[in-house]
Each structure stands twice: as C-alpha cells, then as structure tokens.
C-alpha cells in the first residue's frame, strides 16, 4: 500500500470571494434548483437507473399537468443542469455532472468540527 498523501481542500465560496461572472453563473444554477419540483426532478433524473429518465417516468409522480412539468424541465435544461434527447415520441433526460458538481463544490466542505478554525481542510487520500 502506498503512503497516504494529504491535499488541502476547501469550497470555492470559503476559499476566496466569487467573481462577478462566477456569481452570476452560480446564481442561475441555484435559482433553477430553488423550486421543490425542479429539485425533485433533478434528483429523480440523476438517480434513475442508467442515469437517464424518460419524461413518461417523471410526469406521473407529480400532481401537475404535463405542460407544467415541461416548463420545469425547460428551466433545468436552460440552466444547463440537464440535457435531453428525443427518442420517438419521448424525451429522455440526463443530468450534466460537470454542472451539477459546481453546485456541490460551492458549499462543501464548509462544516468544520466543533472548536476547529475556519480555513482549508486537510483531506487524506489513500491510494491502493
């Protein structure tokens, strides 16, 4: 087993102030997922078997009309969080991991153990 290496890791928002362009891009992503229906849709698409979900699998879960679901999917797609592909009469959606990961990286890892100082967090990576 190789010796462990330590890498400093911290969230972009905690490391340095966001630039204007980054803040605008992230705000668009946050607005897109700030709706409970869209957040659930994103979760359903991302966790669906095979990494993609047919719109036919998504519409029956909500007590909403098909046009309303289409609107929410369009907001997610316009924000760049999902992409879709028409296959016959159905559209299959999949998340775009690089974009979704920007949201995850924004705040993680902000939590520090009680009594710890704010700042970079040491992460130990073990290679086998």
């Amino acid at each position: 087993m190789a010796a462990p290496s330590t890498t400093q890791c911290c969230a972009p928002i905690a490391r340095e102030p966001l630039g204007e362009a980054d803040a605008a891009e992230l705000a668009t992503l946050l607005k897109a997922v700030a709706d409970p229906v869209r957040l659930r849709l994103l979760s359903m698409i991302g966790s669906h078997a095979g990494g993609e979900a047919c719109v036919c699998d998504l519409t029956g879960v909500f007590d909403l009309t098909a046009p309303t679901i289409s609107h929410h999917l369009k907001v997610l797609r316009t924000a760049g969080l999902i992409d879709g592909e028409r296959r016959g009469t159905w559209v299959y959606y999949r998340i775009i991991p690089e974009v979704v990961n920007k949201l995850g990286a924004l705040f993680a890892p902000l939590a520090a153990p009680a009594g710890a100082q704010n700042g970079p967090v040491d992460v130990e990576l073990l290679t086998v």
Side-chain angles (χ1 to χ4, degrees), residues 42 76-77 80-84 94-101:
L42 187 65
L76 292 171
R77 194 170 185 173
L81 291 161
I82 63 172
D83 197 9
R94 64 190 161 283
I95 64 167
I96 301 174
E98 305 81 35
V99 179
V100 174
N101 287 341

Side-chain angles (χ1 to χ4, degrees), residues 23-97:
E25 178 187 358
L26 290 166
T28 299
L29 298 177
L30 290 168
K31 286 178 187 177
V33 296
D35 181 272
V37 172
R38 291 193 290 269
L39 190 56
R40 286 186 63 205
L41 283 168
L42 187 65
S43 174
M44 291 170 64
I45 293 166
S47 64
H48 202 270
E52 63 181 12
C54 176
V55 70
C56 61
D57 296 325
L58 303 172
T59 53
V61 176
F62 299 94
D63 189 24
L64 299 169
T65 64
T68 301
I69 296 295
S70 292
H71 164 74
H72 287 298
L73 290 167
K74 180 181 177 184
V75 170
L76 292 171
R77 194 170 185 173
T78 301
L81 291 161
I82 63 172
D83 197 9
E85 177 183 337
R86 179 168 294 282
R87 298 181 197 155
T89 59
W90 299 112
V91 177
Y92 288 78
Y93 291 97
R94 64 190 161 283
I95 64 167
I96 301 174

Side-chain angles (χ1 to χ4, degrees), residues 4 8 13-14 18-19 22 31 53 73-75 79 81 102 113 124:
Q8 286 195 341
I13 203 167
L18 290 172
D22 289 337
K31 286 178 187 177
L73 290 167
K74 180 181 177 184
V75 170
L81 291 161
K102 287 181 184 180
E124 188 173 301

